Short mmCIF file of all heavy atoms in Angstrom, two decimals:
data_model
loop_
_atom_site.label_atom_id
_atom_site.label_comp_id
_atom_site.label_asym_id
_atom_site.label_seq_id
_atom_site.Cartn_x
_atom_site.Cartn_y
_atom_site.Cartn_z
N PHE A 79 29.84 13.29 -21.93
CA PHE A 79 31.21 12.92 -22.26
C PHE A 79 31.22 12.29 -23.65
O PHE A 79 30.46 11.37 -23.94
CB PHE A 79 31.77 11.92 -21.23
CG PHE A 79 31.90 12.49 -19.86
CD1 PHE A 79 30.89 12.31 -18.92
CD2 PHE A 79 33.02 13.22 -19.50
CE1 PHE A 79 31.01 12.85 -17.65
CE2 PHE A 79 33.13 13.76 -18.24
CZ PHE A 79 32.14 13.58 -17.30
N ARG A 81 33.79 10.67 -24.85
CA ARG A 81 34.53 9.40 -24.78
C ARG A 81 34.20 8.71 -23.48
O ARG A 81 34.12 9.33 -22.42
CB ARG A 81 36.03 9.66 -24.89
CG ARG A 81 36.45 10.32 -26.20
CD ARG A 81 37.95 10.56 -26.24
NE ARG A 81 38.69 9.30 -26.14
CZ ARG A 81 40.03 9.23 -26.10
NH1 ARG A 81 40.74 10.35 -26.12
NH2 ARG A 81 40.62 8.07 -26.02
N ILE A 82 34.03 7.41 -23.55
CA ILE A 82 33.69 6.61 -22.37
C ILE A 82 34.98 6.05 -21.79
O ILE A 82 35.80 5.45 -22.52
CB ILE A 82 32.72 5.48 -22.74
CG1 ILE A 82 31.42 6.06 -23.29
CG2 ILE A 82 32.43 4.61 -21.52
CD1 ILE A 82 30.45 5.01 -23.77
N ASN A 83 35.16 6.23 -20.51
CA ASN A 83 36.31 5.67 -19.82
C ASN A 83 35.98 4.22 -19.45
O ASN A 83 35.39 3.94 -18.40
CB ASN A 83 36.64 6.49 -18.57
CG ASN A 83 37.97 6.10 -17.95
OD1 ASN A 83 38.52 5.05 -18.25
ND2 ASN A 83 38.48 6.95 -17.08
N TRP A 84 36.34 3.28 -20.33
CA TRP A 84 35.96 1.89 -20.12
C TRP A 84 36.64 1.30 -18.90
O TRP A 84 36.07 0.44 -18.22
CB TRP A 84 36.30 1.08 -21.37
CG TRP A 84 35.47 1.45 -22.56
CD1 TRP A 84 35.86 2.19 -23.65
CD2 TRP A 84 34.09 1.13 -22.77
NE1 TRP A 84 34.83 2.36 -24.52
CE2 TRP A 84 33.72 1.71 -24.02
CE3 TRP A 84 33.14 0.41 -22.05
CZ2 TRP A 84 32.45 1.58 -24.54
CZ3 TRP A 84 31.87 0.29 -22.57
CH2 TRP A 84 31.53 0.87 -23.79
N ALA A 85 37.86 1.73 -18.61
CA ALA A 85 38.55 1.20 -17.43
C ALA A 85 37.82 1.59 -16.15
O ALA A 85 37.62 0.77 -15.25
CB ALA A 85 39.99 1.71 -17.40
N SER A 86 37.40 2.86 -16.08
CA SER A 86 36.65 3.31 -14.90
C SER A 86 35.29 2.62 -14.82
O SER A 86 34.83 2.25 -13.73
CB SER A 86 36.47 4.83 -14.95
OG SER A 86 35.68 5.28 -13.87
N LEU A 87 34.66 2.44 -15.98
CA LEU A 87 33.36 1.77 -15.99
C LEU A 87 33.49 0.32 -15.54
O LEU A 87 32.66 -0.19 -14.78
CB LEU A 87 32.77 1.84 -17.40
CG LEU A 87 31.33 1.34 -17.58
CD1 LEU A 87 30.38 2.21 -16.78
CD2 LEU A 87 30.95 1.36 -19.05
N LEU A 88 34.55 -0.37 -15.99
CA LEU A 88 34.77 -1.76 -15.58
C LEU A 88 35.08 -1.84 -14.10
O LEU A 88 34.61 -2.75 -13.40
CB LEU A 88 35.91 -2.34 -16.41
CG LEU A 88 36.25 -3.81 -16.17
CD1 LEU A 88 35.06 -4.69 -16.51
CD2 LEU A 88 37.46 -4.22 -16.98
N ARG A 89 35.86 -0.89 -13.60
CA ARG A 89 36.20 -0.88 -12.18
C ARG A 89 34.95 -0.65 -11.32
O ARG A 89 34.76 -1.29 -10.28
CB ARG A 89 37.25 0.19 -11.91
CG ARG A 89 37.79 0.23 -10.49
CD ARG A 89 39.05 1.07 -10.40
NE ARG A 89 38.87 2.42 -10.92
CZ ARG A 89 39.38 2.85 -12.08
NH1 ARG A 89 40.10 2.03 -12.83
NH2 ARG A 89 39.18 4.09 -12.47
N THR A 90 34.08 0.26 -11.76
CA THR A 90 32.83 0.50 -11.03
C THR A 90 31.93 -0.72 -11.06
O THR A 90 31.29 -1.06 -10.06
CB THR A 90 32.10 1.70 -11.65
OG1 THR A 90 32.97 2.84 -11.65
CG2 THR A 90 30.85 2.04 -10.87
N GLY A 91 31.89 -1.40 -12.21
CA GLY A 91 31.09 -2.61 -12.30
C GLY A 91 31.58 -3.71 -11.39
O GLY A 91 30.78 -4.43 -10.77
N LYS A 92 32.89 -3.84 -11.26
CA LYS A 92 33.44 -4.86 -10.35
C LYS A 92 33.09 -4.55 -8.91
O LYS A 92 32.77 -5.45 -8.13
CB LYS A 92 34.96 -4.94 -10.54
CG LYS A 92 35.39 -5.60 -11.85
CD LYS A 92 36.91 -5.68 -11.93
CE LYS A 92 37.36 -6.36 -13.22
NZ LYS A 92 38.85 -6.44 -13.32
N GLU A 93 33.19 -3.27 -8.54
CA GLU A 93 32.83 -2.90 -7.17
C GLU A 93 31.35 -3.16 -6.90
O GLU A 93 30.98 -3.61 -5.82
CB GLU A 93 33.15 -1.41 -6.93
CG GLU A 93 34.64 -1.11 -6.82
CD GLU A 93 35.26 -1.72 -5.57
OE1 GLU A 93 34.54 -1.81 -4.55
OE2 GLU A 93 36.43 -2.10 -5.62
N TRP A 94 30.52 -2.88 -7.90
CA TRP A 94 29.08 -3.08 -7.74
C TRP A 94 28.74 -4.55 -7.60
O TRP A 94 27.85 -4.93 -6.83
CB TRP A 94 28.36 -2.48 -8.95
CG TRP A 94 26.88 -2.45 -8.83
CD1 TRP A 94 26.13 -1.54 -8.13
CD2 TRP A 94 25.94 -3.35 -9.42
NE1 TRP A 94 24.80 -1.82 -8.25
CE2 TRP A 94 24.65 -2.93 -9.05
CE3 TRP A 94 26.08 -4.47 -10.24
CZ2 TRP A 94 23.50 -3.60 -9.45
CZ3 TRP A 94 24.93 -5.13 -10.65
CH2 TRP A 94 23.66 -4.70 -10.25
#
Side-chain angles (χ1 to χ4, degrees):
F79 295 95
R81 299 179 61 182
I82 299 176
N83 190 345
W84 293 104
S86 176
L87 188 63
L88 183 62
R89 185 166 55 253
T90 304
K92 288 182 178 180
E93 288 293 328
W94 188 79

